[in-house]
Amino acid sequence: MTSPKPHFFDQTPDSLTDLLAGWGMPRFRAQQALDWVYRKGVADPQAMTNLSQRNRDTLSQRMTFLQGRVIRQQTATDATQKLLIDWSLPPETPAQNGRNLNTLTVLGDNQGSSKTQTECVLIPSTSRDSGKARRTACVSSQVGCPVGCKFCASGLGGLDANLTAGQIVQQAWQLSRLGVTSGGGPLTNVVFMGMGEPLVNLKAVLPALHTLAADWGMNLSARRITVSTVGVPAGIRRLAALDLPVTLAISLHAPNDALRKQIIPWAEGVTIDQLVEAGQHYFRTTKREITLEYILLGGLNDQPQHAHELATVSKRLRSNINLIRYNEVAGLPFTRPDADDVHRFQRILTDTGRTTHIRASRGRDIAAACGQLRHENQTTTAAV
């Protein structure tokens, strides 16, 4: 799934400088290349006009800038956009598509294999706090997912591969370019809420976080980056030691261990008490409030007693709560809760003093929930 050539988005200023120097290029070319990609949004070496033709040719021949190929792109009625990337397919070259590599080109449905495909989503919205426009990239960290939540399309086939740091960063870069070219603007936020469990791929996720936040890289505020985990206490502690004030979101989805084990297989090995302890450590270390993510499944975990139990858990942490109405997945037995039940659930939480938001459902008409587009593409491919 990875190219034998170095991937540009895996590089730091130091590693890129060393690479280019080893290829006989002046060391200052590294900063020029970084500026072209991250500041100007250009990933075609031949368009880097302040480099000599010889240096442009060297970069074109010896480095991969964009890995994989976008095989499906969908836009929802609410302007949410979703990309399905197959990492096993080579990207088109400027000679093939007649345009620079920074232009996204969709090559059609039903190509490649679901075992090498991931999704990423661009979500335009308005900040609850400032009222300013936000453009959030939801990125994947793995192909498939090892957790196997019963309600989620991402883990239906298990884990196929870990993404590299460069592949994670590339998703954010491509979505940022998509925001610019579609008339919006560059990214303001990144959430690790796509396919995979980020905290079991920390070898890639930690350097990706550094690149996303670095002034030489994507230059995002670390406070605008959220890492969502189903609950890996050791990983939470490693994230706390990163010295980047990213937001930690814990995907709780049930307020007690018995119910959580029914819908999240990994809960057999990690209790809510252990997650609370890890969350407390994260807050003490980073001073960043924890977000508890809670998907409401109709008739299963959305009843008043569940809300009261969730309030009790939340009170043990410096936390806020995001309620998410379930997006149905074809073939799974879970249903979307009624709006009245969702608002009743929220009222119970707010009445106990918990800061609670209902996350707006985005991109429902383009299968924007984790793993849905890959699952639908796989189902369509099998049927033809």
Side-chain angles (χ1 to χ4, degrees):
M1 274 208 338
T2 58
S3 167
K5 299 178 183 179
H7 188 193
F8 181 87
F9 290 101
D10 270 321
Q11 307 307 315
T12 65
D14 288 344
S15 68
L16 186 61
T17 298
D18 290 343
L19 269 176
L20 270 52
W23 297 338
M25 297 171 61
R27 299 179 70 85
F28 65 83
R29 292 297 193 208
Q31 186 57 56
Q32 289 177 318
L34 289 167
D35 287 342
W36 274 107
V37 174
Y38 287 115
R39 301 287 80 80
K40 297 182 177 73
V42 173
D44 174 11
Q46 295 301 328
M48 299 177 183
T49 53
N50 59 349
L51 276 64
S52 69
Q53 187 60 56
R54 180 179 178 180
N55 287 167
R56 282 181 263 169
D57 290 343
T58 298
L59 285 176
S60 297
Q61 294 163 8
R62 305 190 72 165
M63 178 164 281
T64 296
F65 280 77
L66 294 183
Q67 288 186 358
R69 187 178 297 183
V70 177
I71 61 169
R72 291 188 71 180
Q73 178 178 341
Q74 295 182 331
T75 302
T77 53
D78 62 10
T80 296
Q81 298 189 68
K82 189 164 193 174
L83 305 179
L84 181 63
I85 301 173
D86 193 312
W87 297 103
S88 69
L89 299 176
E92 285 191 319
T93 66
Q96 289 172 319
N97 64 29
R99 294 179 291 177
N100 289 338
L101 282 174
N102 58 307
T103 302
L104 296 175
T105 300
V106 184
L107 301 184
D109 294 351
N110 306 328
Q111 298 193 35
S113 164
S114 65
K115 292 186 178 297
T116 55
Q117 295 170 0
T118 59
E119 305 168 2
C120 55
V121 186
L122 176 65
I123 307 168
S125 61
T126 302
S127 170
R128 286 190 297 253
D129 300 325
S130 66
K132 294 181 179 179
R134 295 174 58 170
R135 287 164 298 278
T136 301
C138 180
V139 300
S140 296
S141 56
Q142 296 178 303
V143 181
C145 184
V147 178
C149 296
K150 301 295 186 182
F151 52 82
C152 181
S154 289
L156 287 176
L159 176 66
D160 292 305
N162 286 324
L163 293 183
T164 65
Q167 288 167 336
I168 294 169
V169 175
Q170 181 183 309
Q171 293 172 74
W173 185 89
Q174 286 183 295
L175 291 173
S176 189
R177 293 299 306 150
L178 186 58
V180 171
T181 57
S182 60
L187 293 184
T188 61
N189 299 73
V190 172
V191 295
F192 284 69
M193 294 183 182
M195 296 173 63
E197 167 51 63
L199 297 192
V200 296
N201 187 21
L202 285 174
K203 180 180 180 181
V205 168
L206 294 182
L209 289 171
H210 278 295
T211 301
L212 292 172
D215 56 4
W216 54 262
M218 292 294 292
N219 200 28
L220 292 164
S221 166
R223 296 176 182 275
R224 293 179 177 270
I225 302 172
T226 298
V227 177
S228 178
T229 175
V230 77
V232 183
I236 291 173
R237 288 180 169 84
R238 283 192 63 189
L239 191 65
L242 184 60
D243 197 29
L244 279 177
V246 300
T247 297
L248 172 67
I250 297 176
S251 296
L252 201 63
H253 305 327
N256 60 69
D257 288 324
L259 181 56
R260 202 164 189 264
K261 289 175 184 178
Q262 290 181 34
I263 58 177
I264 303 175
W266 275 27
E268 291 287 347
V270 180
T271 66
I272 290 176
D273 281 347
Q274 290 172 316
L275 289 181
V276 168
E277 290 172 4
Q280 290 169 338
H281 171 80
Y282 192 86
F283 176 76
R284 288 195 302 268
T285 303
T286 66
K287 303 299 185 289
R288 297 286 288 156
E289 185 175 78
I290 312 300
T291 295
L292 297 179
E293 303 277 352
Y294 194 95
I295 288 181
L296 292 161
L297 304 165
L300 181 64
N301 66 350
D302 63 343
Q303 300 305 297
Q305 67 268 26
H306 300 132
H308 287 292
E309 287 182 275
L310 179 57
T312 299
V313 173
S314 178
K315 287 177 180 178
R316 298 172 60 192
L317 283 167
R318 182 69 174 269
S319 63
N320 64 86
I321 301 170
N322 266 353
L323 301 178
I324 308 157
R325 292 181 70 187
Y326 181 61
N327 276 350
E328 304 91 330
V329 176
L332 297 184
F334 303 96
T335 60
R336 188 174 173 87
D338 294 333
D340 289 345
D341 291 339
V342 174
H343 289 291
R344 178 184 63 185
F345 200 96
Q346 183 189 34
R347 282 196 301 272
I348 292 171
L349 290 168
T350 55
D351 287 347
T352 63
R354 311 318 299 155
T355 301
T356 307
H357 304 285
I358 299 172
R359 190 196 296 171
S361 296
R362 304 301 303 270
R364 291 195 71 214
D365 53 330
I366 60 166
C370 293
Q372 280 188 290
L373 182 56
R374 185 182 77 142
H375 174 58
E376 290 187 6
N377 196 60
Q378 179 183 13
T379 302
T380 302
T381 304
V384 296

